[in-house]
Amino acid sequence: MMIRKKIELSLVKATLDDYQQSWNLQLDGAAFSTNSSILQPVRYEGIPAMLKIALVEEERRGSKLMVHWAGNGAVKVLRHSSAALLMERASGQGSLRDMVWNGADDEASKIICQVAAKLHTAKASASLKLIPLSEWFYALFFAANQLDGVFSQCAEIARFLLNDPIDEVVLHGDIHHGNILDAGDSGWLAIDPKALYGERGFDFANLFCNPEMTIAIQNGRLAQQVGVVSKAANLDSKRLLQWIVAWSGLSASWMLADAMPIDQKLKLIEIALSELNS
């Protein structure tokens, strides 16, 4: 295992070195990684930038969508290849997470809606590999077949929505407070899309699970934000609640597969179902 780890680290360094030389990048901080990408802060032609190297197909698909957006609601792409993305670095001091913690939850949600509106103007293209929402929800349908209970309730609502979609657009797929960054004079911009296609309302569901589940399940929080988001994004509040239930069930399915605790997610589903049935 140790030998394999050393080999992986060596390959990562070699890959970073290749892009540093071919794109004339100056290192500007320590590289770091996620489960799906390697990221290296750099400077490019004097501009603070971020080099992102995709390790999985999902990230490569999202990178193509970042290029397609061309800075309209998303961080601007400076250079790209089949596996790498060089983006302007969002260096503003603002944080949507901090706004929520500091009592500006409504304002943070409105900013998210404004960014999403820009992203949703993008037209689908043959060059984009977009995943239909019906495929994205496979894990929820599997969980419903295996476990029944609340997963079946979520799956039933998801099928209802997916069978009769309205206002279909190119979707970010993972909009939340941590994926929309302060880019200073350029405003708030999105990163890390999943590149999906389906009903516009889906893209707002995840923000109700964020920035932390402890906040998401606070008394009255979901109802308050449903009112804010439905107005700001011009969405039907009942259908938005249905997407929240469907998305939360899907998220809980993924978490269960990864052996993560889902108690708080189930609580949010309970709250959303209660609002839906009231």
Side-chain angles (χ1 to χ4, degrees):
M1 182 66 71
M2 184 63 71
I3 293 174
R4 179 180 176 184
K5 191 68 175 177
K6 287 181 178 179
I7 292 173
E8 289 175 350
L9 289 173
S10 177
L11 290 172
V12 166
K13 186 178 186 306
T15 303
L16 290 173
D17 288 346
D18 286 344
Y19 282 106
Q20 183 183 353
Q21 293 175 21
S22 61
W23 286 355
N24 193 25
L25 307 176
Q26 292 77 49
L27 301 186
D28 196 31
F32 57 97
S33 64
T34 68
N35 290 332
S36 56
S37 302
I38 305 160
L39 296 109
Q40 170 68 63
V42 298
R43 296 188 75 85
Y44 173 71
E45 297 182 350
I47 300 173
M50 184 69 72
L51 174 65
K52 179 178 181 179
I53 300 172
L55 301 178
V56 297
E57 176 57 31
E58 181 178 290
E59 290 293 338
R60 288 188 282 272
R61 191 173 65 241
S63 292
K64 288 184 179 180
L65 181 52
M66 289 290 291
V67 174
H68 186 71
W69 275 326
N72 184 31
V75 170
K76 184 179 178 181
V77 175
L78 302 172
R79 297 194 67 162
H80 61 93
S81 70
S82 59
L85 204 62
L86 183 66
M87 304 170 285
E88 286 189 354
R89 203 184 323 160
S91 301
Q93 299 303 304
S95 162
L96 294 181
R97 295 176 187 269
D98 290 347
M99 287 177 65
V100 174
W101 282 109
N102 292 325
D105 201 0
D106 291 3
E107 184 60 30
S109 291
K110 290 175 184 177
I111 289 171
I112 291 173
C113 292
Q114 291 166 4
V115 173
K118 293 179 181 178
L119 300 178
H120 291 160
T121 62
K123 302 299 182 183
S125 164
S127 64
L128 294 174
K129 295 181 180 179
L130 302 174
I131 303 300
L133 281 183
S134 56
E135 292 183 22
W136 200 244
F137 272 87
Y138 173 79
L140 173 58
F141 300 142
F142 180 81
N145 288 334
Q146 298 295 312
L147 303 171
D148 201 12
V150 69
F151 289 99
S152 289
Q153 289 180 274
C154 295
E156 182 180 358
I157 290 173
R159 287 193 178 94
F160 168 78
L161 294 167
L162 294 168
N163 287 339
D164 190 22
I166 57 175
D167 200 5
E168 291 184 290
V169 297
V170 175
L171 298 167
H172 179 288
D174 194 23
I175 289 179
H176 59 74
H177 299 70
N179 273 347
I180 295 179
L181 307 180
D182 179 5
D185 293 341
S186 298
W188 296 89
L189 299 173
I191 59 170
D192 291 347
K194 300 302 182 186
L196 311 180
Y197 188 84
E199 185 170 324
R200 182 172 67 91
F202 168 84
D203 248 354
F204 299 89
N206 193 19
L207 73 90
F208 294 89
C209 301
N210 282 276
E212 303 286 347
M213 284 304 300
T214 53
I215 291 177
I217 61 176
Q218 284 179 355
N219 186 38
R221 196 264 182 164
L222 184 136
Q224 169 67 17
Q225 293 311 306
V226 165
V228 171
V229 172
S230 60
K231 182 178 180 180
N234 192 26
L235 295 167
D236 177 77
S237 58
K238 179 179 179 181
R239 199 162 178 97
L240 178 57
L241 278 165
Q242 290 173 321
W243 276 117
I244 294 168
V245 172
W247 158 255
S248 298
L250 175 60
S251 179
S253 302
W254 288 333
M255 293 170 69
L256 205 60
D258 291 336
M260 297 171 63
I262 62 171
D263 292 352
Q264 290 181 322
K265 191 72 67 164
L266 294 179
K267 177 63 177 178
L268 183 66
I269 294 171
E270 178 186 330
I271 295 170
L273 284 171
S274 178
E275 289 290 328
L276 192 55
N277 296 323
S278 64

